[in-house]
Amino acid sequence: MTLRGRLTAAFLVVVLGPVLLGAFFVASTVTAVDRTRSTERLAVAASTVRTSVDALCQQLRAAADAVALTGDPAVVAGQLVGRGLAAAVLISDVSGRVTYASPGAPTTPWRDCSESTAATSGPVRALSARVDRRDPAGTLLGSVAAAQLVDPAFVARLAAVSGVAVTLLDGGASAARFTHTTESREVRDAVLSAAGHTTGERVTETTKGRYVRRIGPSAGQPLPLVLSVPSTRPPGLHVTLAGVVVLAGLLAVLTAWRLARVTTRPLVELAGAVDRVAHGDLTARVPVRSRDELGRLAAAFNRMTRETGSYVAALTSSRDQLRGHLAVLGDTLASTHDLQRILRVILHSAIAATGARAGAVLLVETGGVLVAQCSEGLDGRWPTPDPDGPPTLRVPVGVGVVGAVAATGEPQRGRVEPTDVPTGEPSCRTYVAVPFAAPGGTTTMPGGGPTITGDERTVDEAGAPAVALGVLALYDRVGADEFDDDDLVTLRTFAGHAAVAVENVRVHEEAQRLSLTDPLTGLWNYRYLRESIRREVERASRFGRMLSVLALDLDRFKDVNDTYGHAAGDTVLAEFARRVRGEIREVDLAFRQGGEEFVLLLPETDARGAAIVAERLGAAVRETPIAVEAYAGPIVVTVSVGIAVYPDHGSTGREVLEAADDALYVAKAAGRDTYQVAEARPDVPTREIPVPAGAVSPPDGLPRAGRQVQVPREPGGHARSESAVGVPETNRSGPAHARPDPDDGPADAARAGPDAARPGPGGGASSGPHPPRQSRGR
């Protein structure tokens, strides 16, 4: 086909297509409007009919009540019939025998107002309401029924009130038979046929141009009725529309032939130039022969080729720049787990790729608050100068632009009007914000686009929306009014990298935590014990503090496993770990060394404080047996504790731990359910320092682990170090119930209560402030 033929065909398609669609739209619109109006008329008529029948039922029920409440029902019934309030009254006794019937009453059975279905077939002769008749004592005497004739006049009144044609069906069982109708003979059969093929109260159209709806029988309206209204569509509508389409087609053919003839030559020239451009020649130009649309098209083509050359050069440079940013980002993701550094690289790359002036990466923290982890170009952009304000951007989830993005998972871009009230976010003219969630979900692009992964609408395995990790927001694009869709797509890419970075860092941290914790009890494991005891010994040595080490072992735990099973043993170990966490401070560290053996590190705690902790641990286990599911009674367990103190019992972490382990075996040999303080090293010269009765604690209230001096040996040949002063010997080797003497001073209470982390007013004992550290002991 030639160019002229294609243009002619295209013009015809362009012109005739809307004409055909318009004709179809007009026809369908007129039909829809007609159906809608008819449906509304039928709905109003149905409501009117129900109201009329219900009013009649209420009238009949009132008449029946009047007869039932009087002492002479026959007289009252005659008066009601005479006044026209009812066509007939029927009075029956308890056995159902008729005791009174109005003269000329229609034949029974009558259709009761309370019936919701057609209980019997056959024509409806009368509509009735029935009430019980009782004496003053409440004894049932029978029933009273008041009826009204259902005749052609009644149906005509319903049609007049509702404004539609009304047909009373024969019993309601089938629409093929009717009792009374106001329909004309020409449309009666079509109406009944349409009514027979409809269900419920749906509206259907007949072949005669009428809309039909069935109503009833139902509660309050027991009559099976068919309502119909004529269609209001203009006659010959489709014929008229077909003529319009044919006439428009003829005019379109003539016009298309003329325009194709005039347009052929410049389009051939344009096609040749386009072919040259397609082969990479961006210097191709088209001669401008006129100032009409084709001339402007040629001029626009020439301008397009010039600008395309500039765009290609700019895109090549931008592509190289973006590749460089992605290479830096990839190297950063692969070489470090420093989240701040990774997010800074992502933000810088996103700003450079989109041309934004400022931006921030915010992560959702505990409490539902977005906190800026890194930002760039936000200086001087706060709504109000507040030197006492927050140093970082903090926005509650659901508040403001970035809060709404995090809450809904929908990216946003747009312009901020000057009249908008600031919400605590940086001031800007334009913005774009994209959420990012944990990678691995599927995302559907808005508008039915392709499905992508790792976008703002990430869903979890159950199909529920995943919780957003954070938001990547940019402000004020350079050289443009607003951020466009390309910027949004670019920002989604960097947001996906941010999600991967955050998830990798969290997975790395979780892997580190799992490698250092015991999965059953949640306490630190033996691997972290070796690292922690070395660090704590170095800290105690550097600051001249004491460090107490407690070795704990559940007594006869093998009997628990042999008697109740290993599952019960695991429950006992987990509950024991929970009670240990409840008895130690935040700065204390708890470890599971293996099996039923545990270790506690108590920084800045001497032997007395450690003994108090051991006593409390023993009581916590001994006094409350451990309940195990599936066993009738709780399991009673006890614990033996060995105590060693740095530097009294060792100069290294390993020596102190071995000393505590030796003390544990002594406690086991002493009968279990007790604690034992390790003996001081015999090779360390010590001496006793006399302490006045009113001794004052050091200024910071912390025990010192300074140079030890020789003290006189106790009877039995054992020396006592300074750290053991005030610890009764019965508490060092006696049973667990031998608690420290309350007269020993306030140091005992320093570890005994919930405020054990604070130094006691009398000084000397157990614990105090400690530099912050990571602790899983709680």
Side-chain angles (χ1 to χ4, degrees):
M1 183 182 290
T2 63
L3 176 62
R4 182 180 301 176
R6 288 195 298 269
L7 289 176
T8 302
F11 185 83
L12 291 177
V13 170
V14 171
V15 172
L16 293 181
V19 171
L20 292 174
L21 291 177
F24 176 76
F25 176 77
V26 170
S28 60
T29 301
V30 171
T31 301
V33 170
D34 177 54
R35 184 179 182 87
T36 302
R37 290 179 177 176
S38 299
T39 302
E40 292 177 353
R41 286 186 60 190
L42 288 175
V44 173
S47 177
T48 303
V49 169
R50 288 193 184 94
T51 303
S52 300
V53 175
D54 184 67
L56 177 60
C57 290
Q58 295 293 338
Q59 175 182 327
L60 294 176
R61 192 171 290 108
D65 284 335
V67 174
L69 295 176
T70 185
D72 194 353
V75 175
V76 175
Q79 294 175 353
L80 293 175
V81 172
R83 294 178 181 178
L85 298 178
V89 175
L90 189 68
I91 303 176
S92 304
D93 57 13
V94 178
S95 61
R97 184 174 57 85
V98 176
T99 60
Y100 173 80
S102 299
T107 60
T108 56
W110 299 339
R111 181 63 56 87
D112 194 273
C113 289
S114 60
E115 293 183 7
S116 59
T117 58
T120 59
S121 61
V124 179
R125 302 301 182 185
L127 188 64
S128 66
R130 183 179 300 273
V131 297
D132 293 335
R133 180 167 171 261
R134 300 177 182 275
D135 59 8
T139 303
L140 181 64
L141 300 178
S143 62
V144 177
Q148 183 67 44
L149 290 176
V150 178
D151 52 9
F154 176 79
V155 175
R157 287 195 300 271
L158 290 180
V161 171
S162 61
V164 299
V166 179
T167 300
L168 176 64
L169 299 179
D170 188 0
S174 173
R177 299 172 58 189
F178 66 94
T179 304
H180 307 294
T181 182
T182 61
E183 299 281 1
S184 62
R185 293 182 179 273
E186 293 79 9
V187 300
R188 179 185 304 167
D189 295 337
V191 169
L192 292 177
S193 177
H197 291 86
T198 185
T199 59
E201 296 188 357
R202 296 175 54 189
V203 176
T204 184
E205 186 177 4
T206 68
T207 57
K208 297 294 185 177
R210 296 184 70 87
Y211 290 93
V212 179
R213 174 177 176 176
R214 295 182 63 174
I215 63 171
S218 61
Q221 201 290 99
L223 301 178
L225 301 175
V226 176
L227 310 181
S228 71
V229 293
S231 173
T232 59
R233 281 197 306 268
L237 174 65
H238 296 87
V239 176
T240 303
L241 292 177
V244 171
V245 170
V246 171
L247 180 60
L250 294 176
L251 295 176
V253 169
L254 296 175
T255 305
W257 180 78
R258 177 62 180 170
L259 291 177
R261 185 177 179 182
V262 174
T263 310
T264 302
R265 182 181 178 183
L267 287 179
V268 170
E269 295 175 347
L270 181 61
V274 169
D275 186 64
R276 293 172 56 190
V277 172
H279 287 83
D281 183 10
L282 296 179
T283 62
R285 300 292 184 267
V286 177
V288 179
R289 301 182 181 278
S290 62
R291 296 184 179 181
D292 58 3
E293 289 79 2
L294 292 177
R296 291 199 298 271
L297 178 61
F301 176 82
N302 296 334
R303 185 171 62 254
M304 179 191 68
T305 55
R306 290 193 301 269
E307 294 180 356
T308 300
S310 301
Y311 290 157
V312 168
L315 288 175
T316 302
S317 175
S318 176
R319 179 197 61 189
D320 296 338
Q321 183 182 13
L322 183 59
R323 286 178 177 176
H325 287 305
L326 291 178
V328 172
L329 180 59
D331 293 340
T332 305
L333 288 173
S335 61
T336 181
H337 285 100
D338 185 353
L339 183 60
Q340 297 295 327
R341 177 183 172 188
I342 296 174
L343 294 181
R344 282 196 299 271
V345 172
I346 292 175
L347 177 61
H348 179 73
S349 302
I351 290 177
T354 58
R357 297 182 184 274
V361 179
L362 303 94
L363 297 183
V364 178
E365 295 190 352
T366 305
V369 178
L370 284 165
V371 179
Q373 302 299 315
C374 62
S375 59
E376 186 172 333
L378 295 183
D379 295 338
R381 286 178 172 269
W382 300 104
T384 56
D386 185 8
D388 299 330
T392 59
L393 179 62
R394 300 177 64 88
V395 180
V397 174
V399 177
V401 175
V402 295
V405 169
T408 62
E410 297 283 349
Q412 292 188 17
R413 64 180 178 89
R415 174 180 294 275
V416 177
E417 299 297 333
T419 57
D420 291 348
V421 179
T423 59
E425 300 181 41
S427 59
C428 61
R429 294 187 301 274
T430 60
Y431 65 88
V432 58
V434 174
F436 53 89
T442 58
T443 300
T444 302
M445 295 290 291
T451 299
I452 61 177
T453 300
D455 202 349
E456 70 280 356
R457 295 186 184 178
T458 303
V459 298
D460 57 18
E461 296 179 356
V467 179
L469 296 177
V471 176
L472 175 57
L474 301 181
Y475 303 99
D476 293 341
R477 183 182 179 189
V478 178
D481 292 336
E482 294 185 15
F483 293 94
D484 53 23
D485 291 336
D486 293 336
D487 297 324
L488 190 61
V489 173
T490 302
L491 200 61
R492 282 174 176 157
T493 301
F494 288 103
H497 287 296
V500 172
V502 174
E503 188 68 13
N504 287 345
V505 170
R506 292 185 177 180
V507 170
H508 177 71
E509 293 176 351
E510 180 66 12
Q512 283 187 324
R513 185 190 68 81
L514 293 177
S515 68
L516 298 176
T517 57
D518 175 58
L520 175 61
T521 62
L523 303 180
W524 298 112
N525 58 18
Y526 181 71
R527 174 184 176 186
Y528 193 59
L529 170 62
R530 292 182 299 175
E531 176 185 343
S532 299
I533 196 170
R534 176 189 57 79
R535 183 182 65 246
E536 294 299 333
V537 167
E538 291 178 357
R539 189 194 306 272
S541 176
R542 185 184 314 116
F543 294 101
R545 310 296 189 193
M546 288 183 174
L547 172 67
S548 292
V549 178
L550 276 65
L552 297 82
D553 187 273
L554 292 177
D555 298 328
R556 295 184 177 87
F557 185 73
K558 184 177 182 301
D559 295 342
V560 174
N561 283 335
D562 294 342
T563 303
Y564 301 99
H566 289 279
D570 291 344
T571 302
V572 171
L573 291 176
E575 175 62 19
F576 176 72
R578 187 190 67 81
R579 297 184 186 183
V580 168
R581 286 194 296 265
E583 296 295 335
I584 62 178
R585 303 169 300 177
E586 190 69 26
V587 296
D588 299 335
L589 299 176
F591 306 84
R592 184 186 180 191
Q593 191 172 11
E596 69 274 18
E597 298 178 1
F598 299 82
V599 174
L600 298 182
L601 299 185
L602 310 181
E604 301 172 0
T605 305
D606 57 8
R608 172 175 293 178
I612 294 175
V613 173
E615 184 73 18
R616 286 163 51 184
L617 288 175
V621 176
R622 181 191 323 110
E623 295 175 0
T624 305
I626 299 176
V628 178
E629 188 176 357
Y631 294 99
I635 299 176
V636 179
V637 295
T638 58
V639 62
S640 298
V641 184
I643 301 173
V645 180
Y646 171 84
D648 293 350
H649 306 121
S651 57
T652 64
R654 183 170 185 176
E655 292 178 357
V656 177
L657 184 59
E658 290 177 352
D661 198 51
D662 294 340
L664 172 63
Y665 281 104
V666 174
K668 289 282 189 180
R672 297 182 176 84
D673 192 17
T674 185
Y675 66 89
Q676 179 72 29
V677 180
E679 296 293 338
R681 292 178 296 174
D683 57 340
V684 178
T686 60
R687 69 180 178 86
E688 184 177 10
I689 299 177
V691 179
V696 180
S697 298
D700 57 1
L702 300 177
R704 299 297 190 227
R707 181 177 59 85
Q708 296 176 334
V709 295
Q710 182 68 36
V711 298
R713 292 187 175 273
E714 299 292 337
H718 297 125
R720 294 168 55 188
S721 67
E722 177 187 354
S723 62
V725 173
V727 180
E729 290 298 321
T730 56
N731 286 344
R732 308 177 76 195
S733 59
H737 60 273
R739 303 179 181 274
D741 190 351
D743 296 332
D744 286 341
D748 297 339
R751 290 302 305 230
D755 296 331
R758 296 192 296 270
S766 54
S767 60
H770 192 279
R773 67 190 62 191
Q774 184 183 17
S775 174
R776 299 287 181 178
R778 284 293 181 192

